[in-house]
Every structure is written in structure tokens, then in C-alpha cells.
Amino acid sequence: GAVVSQHPSRVICKSGTSVKIECRSLDFQATTMFWYRQFPKKSLMLMATSNEGSKATYEQGVEKDKFLINHASLTLSTLTVTSAHPEDSSFYICSGVGMGESYNEQFFGPGTRLTVL
Amino acid sequence: GNSVTQMEGPVTLSEEAFLTINCTYTATGYPSLFWYVQYPGEGLQLLLKATKADDKGSNKGFEATYRKETTSFHLEKGSVQVSDSAVYFCALFRGGSNYKLTFGKGTLLTVNP
């Protein structure tokens, strides 16, 4: 199956700093990538949808100036958490949708655990 | 709009017990249906899927049948193992231009030896 990687897998940062998380599709071209946030013992919350070369579409209630998403190529999307606060601590997961036969399936990354002190 | 309802659990079973996790959906047309599994500290992995009515998805001993008449996609396994302990998510994909998945809230399964 298609592989999606995320880097870093874990990050700890101080309050007020910015953190960048990378999401890469390793063996397919992801025309669309999604970013999710997962709280402990809760389901996934879709944050935004990004299409290569265009601005991300954010879900209602997600601050686009705080969670900056860039999808500059068909294999890379980045999520930058700006001016991070402890309440931003969470598990962030990305996924990608490929072209062709795999277009109707999302392939998920392993997730990034963010802890803001 | 689209929605997925699954039993929230938690579900606790003994090894070799039979597992059923119920999932029903609401959607127009003919969505594709998925079960994802999330092991502790990891991302989501596709467990199985079905793309049309009466299809049966199966993988690693798990099965689910796409029942359009009851709008259901229940997950079953005849004999669970300790290694099956994880969170299971039911999801649907309706298609269109945005490829969004609609997820259920997830069911935590714990299998004891």
C-alpha cells in the first residue's frame, strides 16, 4: 500500500514558539492532503484540507493563522503551529489521497505527538 | 449530511472471544465504507473496506459486510487475540471533489489473556 511519513514523530517545545510538522507521501503523489488532530480517548478532528499549489481549506473553528498549512508539492505538506500554547498539545495526523485507482482512499501517516510546555 | 455511528465502548473481551463492533451510516447514494485500526501511539491503518452493497471486506481474520438495506457495516472477528487491542474506527467516503472521510467516534477494544 501507499506510504505516508511524518516528521518528527514527537516534539516538545516551549510555549510561544512555532513548530513545523512535515507530511510526505513516499511512493505516490498526493493531490490532496488532510490534517487531523486527535485528543486523548477521542476521535479524529479534521483540521484542514490542502490541495497541491493552492490555499488550504480549514474546518470551522480552526484558526488558519495559528495552524499554517503549506502543500507546495505533490509529495509534501507541512503544518506549522505558530505561537504554540499548552492547549495545542495533541496528536496530529496527516493523510494523503493519490491519483488513479487509489483516489478514493486516504493513506495515513504515523502521527506526531506535540507537547507544549 | 453524512454521518457514521458506531458503538463507543470500551469493549473488553477475553482472548478467543467473538467480536462485533456495530457501525451504521447515513449518506446519500453509494458511499465506500472503511474500518481503520489505531494501535497505541500510532496512526491509522486501513483494516478493510467495501465499495459497494453486499461486498465483504476482510483482513487479518476481521470481516465486515456492506449492508445497504440496513445501512450497516459491522466489524466481526471470530476469535480475538491480545494483539487486536486497539481503537477501531468506522468511516465512509462519499466521493465528490474533496475526498473527505466521515469517521465514527472510535471503539476501544481491550483483549485480556
Side-chain angles (χ1 to χ4, degrees):
Chain A
V3 180
V4 174
S5 69
Q6 282 185 240
H7 177 79
S9 57
R10 292 178 177 271
V11 57
I12 300 173
C13 68
K14 293 182 179 180
S15 187
T17 61
S18 294
V19 174
K20 180 184 285 187
I21 301 170
E22 292 186 348
C23 175
R24 293 182 184 275
S25 57
L26 299 184
D27 52 0
F28 70 102
Q29 293 183 320
T31 53
T32 301
M33 285 185 166
F34 299 88
W35 286 95
Y36 296 85
R37 181 173 178 177
Q38 187 176 33
F39 298 92
K41 297 183 179 180
K42 289 195 180 286
S43 187
L44 298 167
M45 181 191 81
L46 178 65
M47 300 175 65
T49 304
S50 72
N51 293 296
E52 184 266 338
S54 60
K55 289 184 178 181
T57 302
Y58 291 81
E59 297 298 303
Q60 191 173 9
V62 177
E63 299 177 61
K64 62 180 181 181
D65 294 330
K66 180 166 187 61
F67 299 100
L68 301 179
I69 291 172
N70 183 277
H71 192 166
S73 77
L74 286 172
T75 58
L76 173 64
S77 177
T78 60
L79 167 67
T80 301
V81 183
T82 62
S83 186
H85 290 283
E87 56 265 31
D88 298 326
S89 298
S90 194
F91 194 55
Y92 293 88
I93 303 175
C94 72
S95 70
V97 176
M99 296 183 287
E101 293 183 358
S102 62
Y103 81 97
N104 65 344
E105 180 177 343
Q106 289 188 25
F107 300 98
F108 287 83
T112 296
R113 172 74 60 191
L114 170 63
T115 302
V116 183
L117 303 177
Chain B
N2 301 329
S3 67
V4 174
T5 302
Q6 66 178 101
M7 54 189 289
E8 292 191 30
V11 174
T12 302
L13 297 173
S14 297
E15 205 164 22
E16 300 184 1
F18 183 85
L19 168 71
T20 299
I21 302 177
N22 290 336
C23 172
T24 57
Y25 68 90
T26 301
T28 56
Y30 301 91
S32 295
L33 301 174
F34 303 84
W35 276 101
Y36 287 90
V37 59
Q38 184 179 32
Y39 298 102
E42 299 184 10
L44 270 68
Q45 299 176 27
L46 177 65
L47 181 59
L48 53 83
K49 66 179 181 181
T51 58
K52 61 182 187 295
D54 299 324
D55 267 2
K56 177 185 284 188
S58 61
N59 185 26
K60 300 181 181 180
F62 290 89
E63 292 183 341
T65 300
Y66 189 143
R67 301 285 188 200
K68 187 154 181 64
E69 64 275 15
T70 53
T71 62
S72 65
F73 193 54
H74 304 321
L75 182 68
E76 296 182 338
K77 186 173 186 182
S79 177
V80 293
Q81 305 300 312
V82 173
S83 57
D84 294 327
S85 298
V87 179
Y88 292 82
F89 292 96
C90 185
L92 74 81
F93 173 75
R94 176 60 188 87
S97 61
N98 62 15
Y99 310 118
K100 286 184 180 180
L101 280 170
T102 301
F103 283 94
K105 293 188 175 182
T107 302
L108 173 63
L109 169 66
T110 301
V111 181
N112 295 317

